[in-house]
Amino acid sequence: MAYWDDIWLNEGFANWMETKTSSTFDPSLHDEYEALDQRNGALNADSLVTARQIRQPILVTDDILNAFDGITYDKGASVLRMFERYVGADVFQRGVREHLAAKAHGNATSGDFVATISKVSGKDVTAAFATFLDQAGAPEIVVGQTCTGTPAVTLEQHRYLPAGASAATATQPWLLPVCVVYENKGKRAEACTLLGEATGKLTINQSACPRWVMPNANATGYYRVAYTAAQLTSLRDEAWPELTWNERRAIFNEVAVAAGQGKVPLMLALSFVPKLLVGNDRFTLGAALGLPTGFNRWVPADLQPKYEFWLRSTFGPGALAAGLSPKDTDSLDVEETRNDLVDAVAWTAREPKLVEQAVALADGWRDLPQAVRGLVLTIAVDAKPELFAKILRDVRTEPDRVRRGEMFGAIAQTRDVKRQAAALALILDPTLDVRETINMIWSGSEEDNSAVARRFFKDHKAEILARLPQAGSTNPVANYADLFTGTCQAAQRDEVIAYVRKEFSQLPGGVRVVDQAIEEMNQCIAMRAVIEPELRGWLTGVKIPKPGKTGDKPETKTKGKGKGKGKGDGKGKGEGKGPGKKAGKSRNN
């Protein structure tokens, strides 16, 4: 780049290229699905009023430190993918090659790159790119239909902001490439337009109104969609066979977000989970599990047994069948989906058979395949205090760095607060590398554990900061403010804000980091107010069979509806900022 404001063209380009390269090298990796996860992560980051522009003006040194985030990496990549589809993949490839050849061993700007794409494609995308590069936020579109005369899809765009967000500076309409998938005589059809105003219309070539519309073909468009419950129901029940897996996962992401805003019922979002479970890939199954497992920290104590029973009943058969013993023939998808299932059932839902299996395997944990080693150790250390004591002792002399990381992770995630405190003390041990131990501060599994971590950081802040590397970091130390704003408790809001502003704002990159952490907390508090009644309504209807009865499926009453959303710290691979998803910034180093 010619200057730091265009760092996205290095890093966003790298994220765009890596999934393309890996998918070509080994199609079975399905890393084209990773592109959707990148997009969803960027939409999360863009849901903040304080979100950066991709091409952020660099006014002070802190702006450079703040530039290495999800906006630069994932939004940059997602915008490239959107315009690649708009001009055509082959044309875009020619433009990239021409740009690289013209600027080889030199410097370039966003303007240089966009000008080349415009020239090669014959479409001037300069203004369209600028609406994404030079203003913050993400568009949300509302889709409808007109059926008088020639059928058409109506489109409306505005900046997406969730509950709890403060007022944002007005944005100009995006020049937004929109490709719509719709029903035509029972089959899939597509049509595209460039939406440049607040409202627009896309005429479709058929005589009757489509029964369903999905306005983001293959989910390459960088925008959210505000679906109604009726639209989501038709996509689930009618459109599903005609949609690609990326389209299905994008819909699921939107329904989770909408449920979290109270715009659609939580039970509607949960009804999509079985539709995703048949996906059999690490991206789809992880997303399906991430929704319900992410509720863990917000489930009322009196309903925790019902919640864990629902998880065991719904996902237990698959987890028990998968077990904890990998096979040499396992693919990456099998490895990761096994871990996701076992994590949901053995860790979150405390399935006794899987916990026992983990404890038995942990006797020889060093010799287990790396795919399951860390998970087995984490479950067993939590269940067996004497194993915790052994790992706490042995980690000091473990010669293998990968195994040391697994040991640190396992002892830090113990749910026993006294054991957790003993593990955190290793962060201050001068004989251990703080770069290996510091992540234990984030590993609290329950709210009580998070409180222990916050107290530890408060008590030892000066010692911790003195031990951390001070130079060459693009990951500001001020990010430890998230440890406190992550409480998501309205009663603690003022105290937390005062503390993080005092302790972190003066650190390098701290002003923006703290502002965003506080905004995320405010959004989380608003989400929590909606999701907790929804969870109570859902789980009150779950009936645990009396002892002696059998059956894998929980009985669920039909009443008990609510509206909900939560920003949980679920261990599953949640997408988006809906219930059970950990909303966070990319911490790229």
Side-chain angles (χ1 to χ4, degrees):
M1 72 282 188
Y3 192 57
W4 290 103
D5 55 359
D6 273 328
I7 191 65
W8 81 275
L9 198 51
N10 289 46
E11 307 300 354
F13 189 94
N15 274 23
W16 169 78
M17 195 67 201
E18 69 183 6
T19 56
K20 189 177 294 291
T21 303
S22 57
S23 293
T24 302
F25 171 74
D26 185 353
S28 71
L29 295 175
H30 291 298
D31 269 353
E32 69 275 13
Y33 294 166
E34 176 68 26
L36 181 61
D37 286 353
Q38 290 179 3
R39 187 205 74 142
N40 291 341
L43 288 170
N44 275 355
D46 245 350
S47 67
L48 300 176
V49 172
T50 53
R52 293 174 51 255
Q53 301 166 198
I54 293 180
R55 196 173 186 276
Q56 183 73 30
I58 304 298
L59 304 177
V60 295
T61 303
D62 280 6
D63 292 332
I64 300 173
L65 297 177
N66 294 150
F68 294 84
D69 67 354
I71 297 297
T72 289
Y73 285 81
D74 293 337
K75 183 177 180 180
S78 300
V79 169
L80 287 172
R81 289 188 190 100
M82 179 171 62
F83 283 101
E84 177 185 22
R85 179 183 174 90
Y86 178 63
V87 303
D90 292 343
V91 172
F92 198 81
Q93 182 186 51
R94 292 201 304 272
V96 168
R97 289 179 171 181
E98 183 170 318
H99 172 74
L100 293 175
K103 299 295 181 180
H105 308 295
N107 301 84
T109 66
S110 296
D112 297 329
F113 175 75
V114 175
T116 302
I117 298 297
S118 296
K119 182 185 76 172
V120 171
S121 68
K123 296 179 179 179
D124 187 354
V125 293
T126 305
F129 252 104
T131 61
F132 286 90
L133 298 179
D134 298 328
Q135 69 176 352
E140 180 179 56
I141 67 170
V142 179
V143 62
Q145 298 180 49
T146 60
C147 299
T148 55
T150 304
V153 174
T154 60
L155 301 167
E156 174 191 333
Q157 64 160 305
H158 54 262
R159 181 173 178 175
Y160 171 79
L161 290 172
S166 56
T169 303
T171 55
Q172 62 175 313
W174 285 265
L175 285 169
L176 186 59
V178 176
C179 286
V180 174
V181 184
Y182 59 93
E183 180 271 335
N184 183 2
K185 299 179 180 178
K187 297 295 182 181
R188 173 192 179 102
E190 292 186 26
C192 299
T193 188
L194 187 67
L195 180 63
E197 303 295 335
T199 60
K201 184 183 293 187
L202 173 60
T203 302
I204 54 179
N205 186 27
Q206 63 186 61
S207 58
C209 256
R211 294 201 307 272
W212 53 264
V213 174
M214 193 282 183
N216 196 345
N218 209 33
T220 54
Y222 186 76
Y223 49 85
R224 292 195 181 279
V225 180
Y227 292 110
T228 65
Q231 289 170 334
L232 287 167
T233 301
S234 68
L235 289 170
R236 182 196 64 194
D237 296 342
E238 295 188 63
W240 205 256
E242 301 295 328
L243 301 175
T244 68
W245 272 110
N246 260 4
E247 288 163 353
R248 294 168 179 174
R249 290 175 54 230
I251 292 167
F252 181 68
N253 184 64
E254 298 292 5
V255 71
V257 169
Q261 296 297 304
K263 295 177 180 176
V264 300
L266 174 59
M267 295 305 293
L268 177 57
L270 288 171
S271 75
F272 279 81
V273 170
K275 308 286 284 188
L276 268 69
L277 290 180
V278 298
N280 290 326
D281 65 80
R282 62 194 185 279
F283 302 100
T284 307
L285 185 67
L289 290 167
L291 176 64
T293 58
F295 297 138
N296 188 31
R297 66 181 289 200
W298 287 353
V299 172
D302 61 309
L303 292 175
Q304 188 71 26
K306 289 191 173 188
Y307 171 68
E308 293 180 5
F309 169 72
W310 187 90
L311 291 176
R312 291 193 300 270
S313 300
T314 305
F315 305 119
L320 288 165
L324 279 165
S325 300
K327 300 178 177 62
D328 291 340
T329 55
D330 287 349
S331 66
L332 179 60
D333 278 333
V334 170
E335 284 185 356
E336 292 207 13
T337 54
R338 173 193 293 109
N339 280 17
D340 287 340
L341 274 169
V342 172
D343 183 85
V345 176
W347 179 263
T348 306
R350 309 171 201 248
E351 164 56 51
K353 292 179 181 178
L354 285 170
V355 172
E356 290 173 10
Q357 190 179 143
V359 169
L361 288 170
D363 285 341
W365 74 271
R366 279 187 175 84
D367 299 323
L368 292 174
Q370 186 177 350
V372 297
R373 204 165 55 209
L375 179 60
V376 166
L377 194 61
T378 297
I379 295 169
V381 159
D382 184 60
K384 192 175 180 182
E386 54 269 36
L387 180 59
F388 172 89
K390 185 176 188 305
I391 298 299
L392 182 70
R393 181 186 68 245
D394 291 351
V395 72
R396 299 173 182 275
T397 55
E398 172 59 48
D400 182 75
R401 181 167 184 164
V402 174
R403 286 179 174 82
R404 282 200 309 274
E406 293 160 349
M407 295 164 83
F408 286 132
I411 59 177
Q413 290 184 75
T414 180
R415 285 177 271 222
D416 182 276
V417 293
K418 291 183 179 179
R419 283 185 259 157
Q420 180 196 10
L424 291 176
L426 296 180
I427 295 174
L428 305 178
D429 189 329
T431 67
L432 297 173
D433 189 337
V434 71
R435 293 171 298 177
E436 294 186 43
T437 59
I438 189 59
N439 282 337
M440 293 197 298
I441 202 79
W442 300 102
S443 297
S445 303
E446 312 287 345
E447 183 54 38
D448 288 347
N449 300 119
S450 296
V452 169
R454 291 191 295 271
R455 173 51 57 190
F456 179 84
F457 190 93
K458 271 189 174 183
D459 291 345
H460 302 285
K461 175 174 175 282
E463 299 164 82
I464 292 170
L465 295 186
R467 297 204 69 211
L468 292 175
Q470 299 298 309
S473 174
T474 58
N475 190 6
V477 176
N479 283 321
Y480 288 96
D482 288 350
L483 188 64
F484 298 89
T485 56
T487 57
C488 197
Q489 297 277 1
Q492 299 176 13
R493 184 201 323 245
D494 293 345
E495 178 186 350
V496 167
I497 290 175
Y499 178 79
V500 297
R501 287 208 186 281
K502 176 177 179 290
E503 300 294 335
F504 299 102
S505 290
Q506 78 280 6
L507 297 175
V511 173
R512 179 181 290 276
V513 167
V514 169
D515 285 347
Q516 292 197 330
I518 291 171
E519 186 179 356
E520 286 184 337
M521 178 178 66
N522 288 334
Q523 291 186 12
C524 181
I525 289 170
M527 297 170 194
R528 185 169 195 158
V530 178
I531 197 64
E532 287 188 335
E534 183 87 346
L535 289 175
R536 184 165 289 280
W538 164 43
L539 292 171
T540 299
V542 173
K543 297 174 66 177
I544 301 178
K546 293 180 180 179
K549 289 190 176 182
T550 60
D552 293 329
K553 298 273 185 184
E555 294 181 49
T556 306
K557 298 176 184 176
T558 56
K559 64 181 182 180
K561 216 162 87 164
K563 301 173 182 176
K565 174 163 192 173
K567 184 176 30 164
D569 57 358
K571 296 160 72 70
K573 290 181 185 175
E575 296 178 357
K577 217 178 198 177
K581 308 305 188 298
K582 174 71 172 75
K585 304 163 216 163
S586 294
R587 306 301 193 196
N588 297 287
N589 289 318

